[in-house]
Structure formats: C-alpha cells, structure tokens
Amino acid sequence: MATQALADRTVSLTYTSLPQEVIHAAIRSFYNWAGCTVGGSAHPATTIARKTLARFSGPATSRLLGSDGGVDVDAMHAALLNGIASHVHDYDDTHLDTIIHPTGPVASALLAIVETLDRPVSGEEFITALVAGVEAECKIGLAVWPDHYDVGWHITSTTGSIGAAIATSKILNLPPTQTAHAIGLAATQVTGLREMFGSHTKSFHPGRAAQNGLLATLLAAEDFTSSTTALEAKRGWANVVSTSHRLDEQIGSLGVEGRWEIARNAFKPFPCGIVVHPVIDGCIRLREMLVKEGIDVERVAGVRVEVHPLVVELTGKTEPRDGLEGKFSVYHGGAVGLLFGRATPAQYEDDVVVDPRVVAVRKKIEVKVDPESRADECFIEARVDGRDWSLKTVYVEHALGSLERPMTDEQLTEKFLDQCLPVLGQERAEKASQWCWGLEKLVDVRCIKDVL
Amino acid sequence: MATQALADRTVSLTYTSLPQEVIHAAIRSFYNWAGCTVGGSAHPATTIARKTLARFSGPATSRLLGSDGGVDVDAMHAALLNGIASHVHDYDDTHLDTIIHPTGPVASALLAIVETLDRPVSGEEFITALVAGVEAECKIGLAVWPDHYDVGWHITSTTGSIGAAIATSKILNLPPTQTAHAIGLAATQVTGLREMFGSHTKSFHPGRAAQNGLLATLLAAEDFTSSTTALEAKRGWANVVSTSHRLDEQIGSLGVEGRWEIARNAFKPFPCGIVVHPVIDGCIRLREMLVKEGIDVERVAGVRVEVHPLVVELTGKTEPRDGLEGKFSVYHGGAVGLLFGRATPAQYEDDVVVDPRVVAVRKKIEVKVDPESRADECFIEARVDGRDWSLKTVYVEHALGSLERPMTDEQLTEKFLDQCLPVLGQERAEKASQWCWGLEKLVDVRCIKDVL
C-alpha cells in the first residue's frame, strides 16, 4: 500500500545509495532555496507574518534566513516564515513535470527542526532527508498530475506538507509506523487553492505546508495516531483531492531505474512564471546583439514575439500596475530584458513597472500566439529605427532554466549573490555562498545560524 | 458575491438583532462545548498534543479548559488544544442538517483570542461573534452538502476554519475587506479527511480548524492579502472541494426568514455517532421498565433491535476491542444502556468494553435492519428468562438529542457536571456550570481563566 511503502522507503534511504548527480542536484536545490529565502526575507508578506506572529513563538531555536544574526523564532515559525520568504518572489525552483516548487516546504521544515536537535547533523544526513522529502512530494505530485492541479489545488503546498513530513521524519529517524502516521497527519492538512495566486497567500502556502509537515512529524513521533492508509484509502488523500491517481506506480518508482525527481528540478533565472522565460531570455539576447552593434535599445521601433498559447493566457497583462502584476505580463518581462538586460526582483519593483521608459518599451512589444510552439521556445524579431533600418531576429530553442539548458552553478551563484548582497552585505553573502555550496562536507548543518 | 457578502453580514450582525431563541441556542452550544472540552482535556489525544507542542507556545495568555488554573499557553495553542479536547469523545454538538459539529472550531478560536484582548469582552459581544461563526460554517456546509462530505471531507473542520475566522474577525471588529481576506486565508487551509476517523487525528481536525481560522484573522488584520472571491471563484473553495454548491442561496439566507442554523444545533446525550443513539436510548428505557418490575437486567435472555440501515453500516462492530471501537459498535451501546442505564465516556473506557459482564450482554443483542426505518427511531423487543417468561417492547420514535426531542437544559447540566466533576471537583464544576449558563450577562468573558 502506498502510504506504508512510502514510509518504508523513507526509513531505508541512505546517503550512500544516492547517485552523485542526485547529491549535486540536492545541493543546488538547497543553495537556490537559501538565496531565495534571504531574498524574500524583507518582502511585506514575510515581514507582516513575522511581526504578527512574533507573540506566538516559543523560545527561539531557529533562524530566519537573512535576519541580523543568531536565532529568531521557534522551529514551527521558522518553517512558516522561511517557507513564505522562499516563494514570495516567484523565483524558486520548479519540478517541471508537475510545476511543484519542491524545496520550499521541505527545506524550510527540515532546517528549522535540525537547529533544535542536541546532536550534530552532517551535511550528508541533511541531504538524505532533503532528497527523501523532495522525492516524496514530486512522486505524489506525479501521481495526481494534472487532474489535481486542474481542479484548482496549488500542488506545491498540497504535496509539500507531505514532503515536509517525510524529510523531518527522516531526520528524526522515526520508525516506519510513526512515519506513516506523520504522512497521514500531513495529508489531512490540505493547504493551497490556486485562487490565491496574485496575493500574499500564494507564498503563505509553502510556508504553511512546511509547518503542517513539521507538526505532523512531531505529533507522530509521540504516538499521536493517524491512518496508515492515508494516501490510498477510498476516502484518503489521493481520491479526495484528485479525480484520478497513479499512487502505486509513482511510489513504486521511488529511487528505481535511475529516475530521481530532484535531478529533474529546474531553477528560475527570472522571478516570474516560467512561461515568460523564453521571451525574457530572447529579449536579453536581442539587447546584447544591439549593444554589440552599437545600437541604442531605445531606438527599437517594434518587437514581435511568437509564443506558446499559454503565455498569453497566463501572462497577458498589457498594462501591469505594480510589481505583482508585472509578473503576469509578458510585455513587462520582455521590456526589462530589452532595456536592462536582466530580470531580477529589482526589475519587478513597483516603481520600475510604472517607469515611463519601461512603459514606452512595453508598448512596442506585440505578442503573437503560435499554436505549434513549445512552452520553452520563442521567436523574436525587432525593427530598429534610425541610421540603418534593419530587422533583427532571435530564436530561443530552450529558455534558460529549462532542463535542456539548465542554469549553471556559476549562474546560480550570480543569482544567489544578487539576492543576498542587499540583505547580508558582500562579505556575509560570499561566505554564505561558499558555505551552502559546501553542504555535502559540512560536519554540522546547525551552524547555519552563524552564516545565513 | 458570496465571500464579500459573508464578510458584510459578519460586520453588520448585532446582538440586538438576535432572536431570544438564538441567544439561548448559543448559550447551550457554548455550555455543551465547555463541558466536552473539560471532559476531553485528559484524553491522550489532547495530552500528547499538549506535551509535544509546549515548547512552541509563546507567552501564556489563554486557558486550556480543565487545567489546574490560570493561563496555560498562547492563544494559537489554546485554539488547537481546546479544539481537540472538545471533539475527542465524540460527545459534542451536531448541526444535524450537515453533521457539522459547529461549536468546537469556533468557540475554541474565539475564547482563545478573547483572553488576549486588553479590554473587557461582554457575554453579549461573545455570543454575537459565536453566532456569526456558527452561522457561517453551517451555511457554507449547507452550500456543499452532501457532495462535499461524500467526496471524503470531514465537514466539521473544512467549514470550521472559516467559521473560526468569522468569529475571530467579528470579535476584533475587522472591517469588511479584511474580513474577506480572513475568509480567504481560512478557506485555503482545507483540513480534514474522513479517512482519519477512528484515530486521534479526527479530533485534531476541529482543533487545527480553530487554529487555521485564528491565524487567518490575525494575518488579515495586518493587511496580509488573500482573495476576496475565495469561496465562489472558479478555482475557489466551493468548486475545488465539492462537486456542486449553492453558495449564493445559502449565504443569502444568513439571518433571514427566521432560519438560524445555531437554533437547529443538537446535543449528544451519548459519546458516539448519533446513529447509535436511538438504540442506547431504547435500551436505557428497557432497563427502567425492567427495574420498575423488579427484574434483574442480567436475566434478559435476548434483545432484538430494528434499526435504519446506516446503523449497521457505520457501527456494526460485534466485538469491539477498546473504547474507540466501542463507539462504532451498536452492540456495545445497547449493552451499556441495558446494564448501566447510561452511556457516558466512562462506559466507553477500554476496560468497560472488554468487561465480561458487558461482553455477555452484548452477545445477547441481535440487530435487524429495517429499510423503512428513520435514522432517529428504533424498535426493541426483549425476552426475559426466569420467573415469568414475557416479551418487553420499546419504541423510540425520536432519539433523545434529536431536534424533535432535544436535550433539556437540565439534561445538559447533568452531562456537563458528569464530565467536569472528575476533572474539576464538585465545587469548581458547579461554579463553572453556573458561570457558563450566565454567559449572556457576563461583563467580561476573560474571567473564564478563574472558572473553567
């Protein structure tokens, strides 16, 4: 049965069984999560939640990444608040087969509880638990994809609660039965409606999922009972939250045939929905082409982009009014790519979205749907006014950040530093970057409180 | 639109608009909740959760009903733990039209946050917020009943999160927009799978619902944004968690045409599923009949009961092995009714369920399904061995605790004292009873910490 099988696989997973590519993928996932969490630590969604809930925190044991130093809150609140911060810029990782953002719920819960333990936790042990959690949530996600998402569930948090329970059960070495009860307790807390997209509550979802999973594990560890068939039962998770499921097949595929979901985890180069990424990528390249030829980008008279239909459906806002709306505007994404050669959270600040220079470029962009197009490709052509009328074209076969063209470690480092520098300052940011890349060799992950 | 309409109705509800029967129903609901919460305070589900989570509580402001005295935990944990305790004996209230147990999530959240306020909260104000919360959850429940329950959701907690958000938003005087955001934040935390029935996690549901709703309100009060169409949107609560809904109709009926859901709230005379209640009721009456005639109940040679088909489907366990299984055994319910003339939590202790005297009576009970029978009626006949062979019959038209034959205030008092005496002692229990009955006239509900 799926629940008990998942519990058994969790208990038996060892570091030595992890292929090197899986370990490296886990480190990249953790690294990207840490940078995003620091980067999101000052966002209003994070700071409102932190301020509001301060009076409900027990003695501080755990760190809010990006804070001034030391420990800030108890583990339950660290799970929630780091989880919110990790997702709030829409800049985190994506398991493309399910569009789950897997590391947020798992790492936020895992790190929070690790900091409370009275023993050292090695990087190897931490990675093993992280992988267990991410594999669990992605396999469960695959088991209900796409029906579950289509119904209206935010699959990141609905599966994230269970992933967080798995990772924390693993790090606490719970036996199989308690792990199964933790799965049940996590499964019964189904958090995340897609209707919340576009509001603070979207980022609340992975935070609450982290907390749901951690709570589940702590209760199960003290023999609070649940169901040991929570996932597969007639009125269990999969049947209640989806119109169909393939639980046995997906749980059965855990760690076999060389298919590890974490190795298929992708990282966003731009802080918005991935459907816009090919256009941003192409517009950055267009800018580079123009600059090389000594042509001022403001002399571009018109830009035509041909994209997958979903791009217009999901991000068709022509006149975004603030940063959040900018994330749902392919026009804004293209404009900042062309004008600034980059799209980081800074280019999605409210004042940039209404900047007349940006608005002017945005108006020059025409979007055409090509039903034959793949979601990660686009074709761009630009007319340049002035000295020599000419037509410039760019074809993006696979956007940066896709599985075919993943972000390199160097690009992830750049993204990390870009997010951490304003918060931590240069010295701390660089030290943090090295520390995170060295996760595998860490003797004790608990020293994070001195680093990030 | 339903979400904003619910928020507006919440804000505009006044104490003076409540009919006297609604006020009395609210007091009865609160009174019954308080007794059940004290009665459930020592159950392992409650004590495990309390012990496990103690280290995550902020400074204590709020009381766990039935504890030694004073305040015990922060409001967030009081909401959770009192919510668990209120439901753990399956002895709480039931809105029969939806089988929601409405007061647990609402009162647990409301009382917890009231205790943190730096102003007096009158009984009238408390009752108004309680009614707002209960009406909201029951109307939303009616809007998705029975599809939502049939899918597999524990409707008490899925609607309870929203009810708790409404009651706490009301007591904090949130304006309509913030109330709508609180509804959204509560709606996105969908807690409670029916698969958990029979385990500790069933009672976790109303506790977590109380906490979900309180968290939603506190965040919304600080302008954490959500959706203002959370209930009715295409990918909002009702469409995601149910195959059909009548939100507009139900929200539109709030407080009109004299139909108040809290006035249709029923109270359980016996701590088990209501389908067993007619049989227990009838067996108690049978015992009274025998006692009156001087016949020892152990001389009963056989008992036949005719019941609604659901009784056997839900509670057909012929050989329950512990207290929890006893709740799912119509045979056990009948046996304790006949043997002891009562069915309180004491008759569902593990040792009573395996007591040879009880087992012997249980084996004499035969259950026959009558497809024509209503759920709240039953027919019983008994053969008595010995001096004068005779056939005794009892017909229960409406079980005690049904809307047609509600528990009287005196019976509720007896139930309250029965639950509170072992925990509080006689003097405190009687004082608490008087205090709760006097809710309407209280100048400051916050003094509960000195009472219950």
Side-chain angles (χ1 to χ4, degrees):
Chain A
M1 303 305 276
T3 306
Q4 198 57 61
L6 175 58
D8 293 342
R9 297 289 184 103
T10 300
V11 170
S12 63
L13 187 71
T14 60
Y15 184 77
T16 51
S17 69
L18 302 179
Q20 192 53 46
E21 63 158 324
V22 169
I23 293 170
H24 191 60
I27 295 169
R28 282 164 57 92
S29 297
F30 175 75
Y31 182 85
N32 183 69
W33 169 82
C36 290
T37 304
V38 171
S41 63
H43 188 283
T46 315
T47 56
I48 291 174
R50 181 179 181 180
K51 193 178 138 226
T52 305
L53 301 178
R55 62 174 162 142
F56 301 112
S57 173
T61 56
S62 303
R63 184 146 172 72
L64 298 179
L65 269 54
S67 78
D68 292 338
V71 292
D72 301 287
V73 290
D74 67 24
M76 211 61 89
H77 285 87
L80 173 70
L81 296 167
N82 285 332
I84 292 174
S86 76
H87 188 58
V88 75
H89 284 304
D90 281 312
Y91 208 11
D92 45 355
D93 51 354
T94 309
H95 178 252
L96 294 169
D97 298 318
T98 56
I99 63 167
I100 290 171
H101 308 294
T103 310
V106 172
S108 303
L110 180 59
L111 187 63
I113 198 66
V114 158
E115 292 181 271
T116 70
L117 300 182
D118 56 2
R119 61 173 178 86
V121 174
S122 72
E124 295 187 353
E125 194 186 346
F126 188 90
I127 287 169
T128 310
L130 182 71
V131 170
V134 169
E135 293 302 308
E137 67 186 324
C138 292
K139 293 296 189 190
I140 290 169
L142 285 166
V144 294
W145 177 264
D147 309 44
H148 173 68
Y149 188 78
D150 290 345
V151 168
W153 291 107
H154 190 186
I155 192 169
T156 290
S157 42
T158 56
T159 63
S161 299
I162 300 167
I166 289 292
T168 51
S169 291
K170 180 71 179 167
I171 211 75
L172 295 181
N173 293 310
L174 297 199
T177 302
Q178 287 184 340
T179 302
H181 284 297
I183 294 169
L185 267 155
T188 207
Q189 302 172 71
V190 191
T191 297
L193 300 174
R194 284 173 59 193
E195 167 60 17
M196 301 299 145
F197 288 8
S199 78
H200 292 155
T201 302
K202 180 169 189 259
S203 59
F204 170 79
H205 292 165
R208 190 63 164 169
Q211 213 177 26
N212 289 341
L214 176 55
L215 177 60
T217 290
L218 294 173
L219 287 172
E222 300 297 330
D223 294 327
F224 197 94
T225 61
S226 164
S227 161
T228 54
T229 56
L231 297 176
E232 69 275 20
K234 182 181 170 197
R235 294 202 176 92
W237 188 86
N239 286 316
V240 173
V241 303
S242 185
T243 44
S244 75
H245 74 82
R246 299 170 300 282
L247 269 178
D248 287 340
E249 174 193 330
Q250 288 299 332
I251 299 297
S253 77
L254 270 166
V256 299
E257 290 167 32
R259 164 118 186 189
W260 294 80
E261 301 309 323
I262 201 167
R264 301 175 61 80
N265 198 19
F267 304 95
K268 288 187 185 178
F270 315 117
C272 54
I274 49 172
V275 292
V276 191
H277 290 195
V279 173
I280 301 175
D281 191 351
C283 285
I284 291 173
R285 285 198 232 169
L286 176 63
R287 177 196 163 83
E288 284 165 2
M289 193 185 292
L290 296 170
V291 168
K292 197 174 279 176
E293 296 182 28
I295 302 171
D296 189 329
V297 292
E298 311 226 11
R299 282 176 51 213
V300 170
V303 179
R304 274 199 213 115
V305 302
E306 284 182 25
V307 295
H308 186 268
L310 216 52
V311 178
V312 176
E313 187 184 327
L314 295 177
T315 63
K317 275 191 195 295
T318 51
E319 296 179 14
R321 292 164 303 178
D322 57 26
L324 196 53
E325 290 196 358
K327 289 177 188 287
F328 297 93
S329 171
V330 59
Y331 305 94
H332 181 72
V336 298
L338 192 59
L339 203 50
F340 306 116
R342 62 205 315 255
T344 71
Q347 283 73 47
Y348 285 89
E349 293 285 338
D350 292 348
D351 56 347
V352 175
V353 174
V354 294
D355 179 337
R357 280 177 68 210
V358 175
V359 174
V361 176
R362 211 149 65 200
K363 285 184 173 164
K364 295 175 184 169
I365 298 178
E366 264 178 81
V367 178
K368 282 174 53 182
V369 164
D370 176 2
E372 305 291 303
S373 179
R374 280 180 290 101
D376 69 339
E377 73 178 342
C378 80
F379 180 75
I380 302 182
E381 52 182 11
R383 282 195 310 109
V384 177
D385 195 8
R387 204 175 45 190
D388 51 347
W389 275 86
S390 69
L391 200 68
K392 306 286 178 191
T393 62
V394 174
Y395 173 59
V396 178
E397 190 179 0
H398 298 289
L400 180 61
S402 62
L403 281 180
E404 291 76 8
R405 203 156 71 83
M407 288 183 80
T408 63
D409 288 357
E410 291 67 33
Q411 287 168 322
L412 281 180
T413 303
E414 197 180 328
K415 175 182 170 184
F416 181 100
L417 292 175
D418 180 68
Q419 293 184 95
C420 291
L421 276 171
V423 181
L424 303 177
Q426 182 148 358
E427 194 182 337
R428 276 179 72 197
E430 285 177 358
K431 186 178 160 201
S433 173
Q434 286 165 22
W435 187 89
C436 288
W437 278 128
L439 180 63
E440 187 184 357
K441 303 289 178 210
L442 284 180
V443 176
D444 191 356
V445 177
R446 296 178 306 166
C447 61
I448 191 164
K449 68 177 180 298
D450 305 319
V451 183
L452 259 166
Chain B
M1 306 302 279
T3 306
Q4 198 59 60
L6 175 58
D8 292 342
R9 299 290 184 103
T10 301
V11 172
S12 63
L13 187 71
T14 59
Y15 184 76
T16 51
S17 70
L18 302 180
Q20 192 53 46
E21 64 158 320
V22 169
I23 292 170
H24 190 60
I27 295 169
R28 282 164 57 92
S29 296
F30 175 75
Y31 182 85
N32 183 69
W33 169 82
C36 290
T37 304
V38 171
S41 62
H43 188 283
T46 315
T47 57
I48 291 173
R50 181 179 181 177
K51 193 177 139 223
T52 306
L53 301 178
R55 61 176 163 140
F56 302 113
S57 174
T61 57
S62 303
R63 183 145 175 73
L64 297 179
L65 269 53
S67 78
D68 290 338
V71 292
D72 301 287
V73 290
D74 66 23
M76 211 62 89
H77 286 88
L80 174 70
L81 296 167
N82 284 333
I84 292 174
S86 76
H87 188 58
V88 76
H89 284 304
D90 280 313
Y91 207 13
D92 44 356
D93 52 354
T94 309
H95 177 252
L96 294 169
D97 296 318
T98 57
I99 63 167
I100 291 172
H101 308 293
T103 310
V106 172
S108 303
L110 180 60
L111 186 64
I113 198 65
V114 158
E115 293 181 87
T116 70
L117 300 182
D118 55 4
R119 62 173 178 85
V121 174
S122 72
E124 294 188 353
E125 194 186 346
F126 188 91
I127 287 171
T128 310
L130 182 71
V131 170
V134 169
E135 293 302 307
E137 66 185 326
C138 291
K139 293 295 189 189
I140 290 169
L142 285 166
V144 294
W145 177 264
D147 308 44
H148 173 68
Y149 188 79
D150 290 345
V151 168
W153 292 107
H154 189 186
I155 192 169
T156 290
S157 42
T158 57
T159 63
S161 298
I162 300 168
I166 289 292
T168 52
S169 292
K170 180 69 180 168
I171 209 77
L172 296 181
N173 293 308
L174 296 199
T177 302
Q178 288 184 342
T179 302
H181 285 297
I183 294 169
L185 267 155
T188 207
Q189 303 173 70
V190 191
T191 298
L193 300 173
R194 283 173 58 191
E195 168 60 17
M196 301 300 146
F197 288 8
S199 77
H200 291 155
T201 301
K202 179 170 190 261
S203 58
F204 171 80
H205 291 165
R208 189 63 163 170
Q211 215 177 24
N212 290 340
L214 176 55
L215 177 60
T217 291
L218 294 172
L219 287 171
E222 300 296 330
D223 293 326
F224 197 94
T225 61
S226 165
S227 160
T228 55
T229 56
L231 297 177
E232 69 273 21
K234 183 180 169 195
R235 294 202 176 92
W237 189 85
N239 286 314
V240 173
V241 303
S242 185
T243 42
S244 75
H245 74 80
R246 299 169 301 280
L247 270 179
D248 286 340
E249 175 192 332
Q250 288 299 332
I251 300 297
S253 77
L254 270 166
V256 298
E257 291 168 28
R259 164 121 184 186
W260 293 81
E261 300 310 324
I262 201 167
R264 300 175 61 81
N265 198 20
F267 304 96
K268 288 187 185 176
F270 316 117
C272 55
I274 49 172
V275 293
V276 190
H277 290 195
V279 173
I280 300 175
D281 190 350
C283 284
I284 291 173
R285 285 199 232 170
L286 176 62
R287 177 198 163 81
E288 285 164 2
M289 193 186 294
L290 296 170
V291 168
K292 195 174 281 177
E293 298 182 28
I295 302 170
D296 188 330
V297 293
E298 311 223 13
R299 282 176 50 213
V300 169
V303 178
R304 274 198 213 118
V305 301
E306 281 182 29
V307 295
H308 186 268
L310 216 53
V311 178
V312 176
E313 188 184 327
L314 296 177
T315 62
K317 276 192 195 294
T318 50
E319 295 179 15
R321 291 164 302 178
D322 56 27
L324 196 53
E325 291 195 356
K327 289 178 188 289
F328 297 93
S329 171
V330 60
Y331 305 95
H332 181 72
V336 297
L338 192 57
L339 204 47
F340 305 117
R342 62 204 318 256
T344 72
Q347 282 74 47
Y348 285 89
E349 293 285 338
D350 292 348
D351 57 346
V352 175
V353 175
V354 295
D355 179 337
R357 278 178 69 210
V358 175
V359 174
V361 176
R362 211 148 65 201
K363 286 186 172 160
K364 295 176 184 168
I365 299 177
E366 262 178 85
V367 178
K368 279 173 55 182
V369 163
D370 175 3
E372 306 291 306
S373 180
R374 279 179 291 102
D376 68 340
E377 73 178 342
C378 81
F379 179 76
I380 303 181
E381 52 182 10
R383 280 197 310 110
V384 178
D385 196 6
R387 205 177 41 188
D388 53 345
W389 276 85
S390 68
L391 199 68
K392 305 285 175 190
T393 62
V394 173
Y395 172 59
V396 177
E397 190 178 0
H398 298 289
L400 181 61
S402 62
L403 281 180
E404 290 77 7
R405 204 156 71 84
M407 287 183 81
T408 63
D409 289 358
E410 292 65 36
Q411 286 168 324
L412 281 179
T413 303
E414 196 182 328
K415 176 181 170 186
F416 181 100
L417 292 175
D418 181 67
Q419 292 183 94
C420 291
L421 276 170
V423 181
L424 303 177
Q426 182 147 357
E427 193 183 341
R428 276 180 70 198
E430 285 178 358
K431 187 180 159 199
S433 172
Q434 285 165 22
W435 187 89
C436 289
W437 278 128
L439 180 63
E440 187 184 357
K441 303 291 177 209
L442 283 180
V443 175
D444 191 356
V445 177
R446 297 178 305 165
C447 62
I448 191 165
K449 68 177 180 297
D450 305 319
V451 183
L452 259 166

